[in-house]
Amino acid sequence: MPRARVLATCAVAISALTASMPPAVADGPSATDLMVRKINDLRRAHGLRPLIVSRSLTRSASAFSRELMREDRFGHDARIEASGGFRRLGEVLAFHTGRAPAVALTLRAWASSPEHRAILLSSRFRSIGLGRTSGRFHGYRATIWVGQLGHR
């Protein structure tokens, strides 16, 4: 069989195979999307309405998680810096070793802490923003989560 014909036959076979394959599926929800879903599942289990993702809270939570990692510190500031005209704000922080998001581990830690659980299950909050940063913290691979909740 001439070379051009072999190449043409192969090209037809490949395009027939790829045409019958399902389209590529996205990687799925991000870790922060999954965390929001799990927090809202927890809230629903306690008869509370789900939180709505706020872009301004997401920006400020993400910026704060990066700041904590960059400055090699872990803790709340005296005041939550969030834009968007929120009248009431709450914040939850989590830290774990490794760079994996560890969504289930982080949510269990928050739900097991009376202070964090009270914030996540407060009916006063309507919005949420999450930030997650992975990097080197005190010389170790680590991940820092920041959740900021608000009510306008």
Side-chain angles (χ1 to χ4, degrees):
M1 196 185 286
R3 184 176 175 171
R5 193 169 183 186
V6 171
L7 290 175
T9 304
C10 288
V12 169
I14 290 170
S15 61
L17 284 172
T18 56
S20 66
M21 293 174 62
V25 178
D27 290 336
S30 71
T32 53
D33 292 339
L34 183 58
M35 181 66 86
V36 169
R37 193 181 87 216
K38 291 200 172 280
I39 289 170
N40 281 333
D41 289 347
L42 177 67
R43 289 175 62 85
R44 263 191 288 287
H46 287 84
L48 298 167
R49 65 166 49 162
L51 298 167
I52 297 166
V53 175
S54 159
R55 283 190 290 181
S56 64
L57 289 176
T58 298
R59 277 192 304 273
S60 62
S62 296
F64 191 47
S65 69
R66 288 189 304 270
E67 177 184 319
L68 291 172
M69 186 69 73
R70 184 179 60 251
E71 295 178 1
D72 225 19
R73 69 181 175 93
F74 183 77
H76 299 279
D77 283 348
R79 182 180 169 107
I80 299 170
E81 298 292 330
S83 61
F86 290 94
R87 291 181 299 182
R88 176 175 284 121
L89 290 166
E91 186 174 71
V92 292
L93 304 178
F95 164 90
H96 64 80
T97 57
R99 293 185 180 182
V103 171
L105 172 79
T106 302
L107 185 59
R108 266 195 314 274
W110 281 339
S112 297
S113 159
E115 295 84 4
H116 293 93
R117 183 180 179 86
I119 292 168
L120 293 176
L121 295 179
S122 174
S123 61
R124 295 178 173 185
F125 295 121
R126 302 280 188 261
S127 302
I128 188 168
L130 292 166
R132 178 180 59 87
T133 301
S134 295
R136 302 296 277 185
F137 188 82
H138 292 287
Y140 296 95
R141 290 183 181 146
T143 298
I144 294 176
W145 280 91
V146 174
Q148 292 181 342
L149 293 84
H151 179 70
R152 293 185 192 271

